[in-house]
Amino acid sequence: ELLTGTSLPPDHVVCDMPPGFGIATVEKIAVNAAAAGARPEHMPVIIGAVKALSQMGSAGGKSLLMSTSPQAPLLVVNGPIAASIGMNSGINVLGHGNRANSTIGRAVQLVIRNIGGGAPGGIDRATLGHVGKQGFCFAEDEDASPWNSLSEERGFDRTQSTVTAFCGEGPSLVIDQLSRSPESLTRSLAASLRTTISPRVVTGMDAML
């Protein structure tokens, strides 16, 4: 039934899946998607996410899935497909209560474990991990944003559906109830970004606010 959600044949090879580089066919991805509780309409996003993760490179996909650090693949969905499959892009966006967000994230994690071999205590050496390693997926609220979307910044059009794979730590809450200007709020956010790894060492890396 899940295979009806994609036009790709079951034996189509999507990628060699990190960290162990097992061969991820559409059929094998569908098996893991079924175990996660996904629906056929979720399959294009799951397949896109798996391919995106495999293309992060040695500094991203492979290292991310083998490290002792707690990072997890964070998936951001843009374009028309997000609304058509009912993804959450607003309240409680990283929490429970949305089947598409939860099952897509979980399906990708199962692909990592069952096809890529990234099982905790085996290839996955994360010391602590975090809940995002169970599934870290949401859609961007493009309609409510005054800025270009993430996919537009990456060269895509709003009519295109995309999945971006990002190396994400656990969510960190930043509270600023005192700022009354954009400049003040920006300084507050910047100060918080400086401590993402250590308050003593400023590490150069991408961040998502």
Side-chain angles (χ1 to χ4, degrees):
E1 183 179 354
L2 282 170
L3 290 172
T4 65
T6 175
S7 60
L8 296 171
D11 60 353
H12 174 79
V13 175
V14 175
C15 65
D16 52 348
M17 190 66 201
F21 299 105
I23 302 302
T25 64
V26 171
E27 182 178 34
K28 288 182 180 179
I29 293 172
V31 169
N32 287 276
R39 292 173 171 163
E41 61 265 30
H42 300 158
M43 280 294 288
V45 178
I46 295 169
I47 292 170
V50 168
K51 189 169 185 177
L53 184 58
S54 74
Q55 293 176 344
M56 289 179 73
S58 60
K62 185 178 179 181
S63 297
L64 161 65
L65 302 173
M66 296 173 62
S67 175
T68 55
S69 297
Q71 289 90 348
L74 186 155
L75 308 171
V76 184
V77 180
N78 286 95
I81 198 169
S84 69
I85 64 175
M87 293 191 71
N88 182 13
S89 61
I91 300 298
N92 202 39
V93 71
L94 295 181
H96 60 290
N98 182 276
R99 182 170 181 172
N101 289 33
S102 297
T103 56
I104 291 169
R106 178 62 176 156
V108 173
Q109 284 293 334
L110 288 175
V111 168
I112 291 168
R113 178 179 181 134
N114 296 327
I115 302 177
I123 297 179
D124 184 345
R125 305 304 298 175
T127 305
L128 295 175
H130 65 77
V131 293
K133 291 175 76 72
Q134 298 180 28
F136 216 4
C137 177
F138 61 92
E140 182 177 353
D141 189 357
E142 299 174 5
D143 293 337
S145 174
W147 296 291
N148 289 335
S149 68
L150 176 62
S151 61
E152 286 177 307
E153 289 183 354
R154 299 176 67 85
F156 295 92
D157 186 85
R158 282 209 175 200
T159 61
Q160 295 176 281
S161 295
T162 66
V163 184
T164 301
F166 184 82
C167 179
E169 293 183 341
S172 179
L173 183 64
V174 179
I175 298 177
D176 182 345
Q177 296 178 321
L178 300 177
S179 290
R180 295 295 181 269
S181 69
E183 293 78 12
S184 176
L185 180 59
T186 300
R187 285 193 295 268
S188 179
L189 294 172
S192 299
L193 286 172
R194 291 184 64 188
T195 62
T196 52
I197 296 295
S198 167
R200 295 184 177 184
V201 179
V202 179
T203 304
M205 62 178 58
D206 293 329
M208 187 174 293
L209 291 172

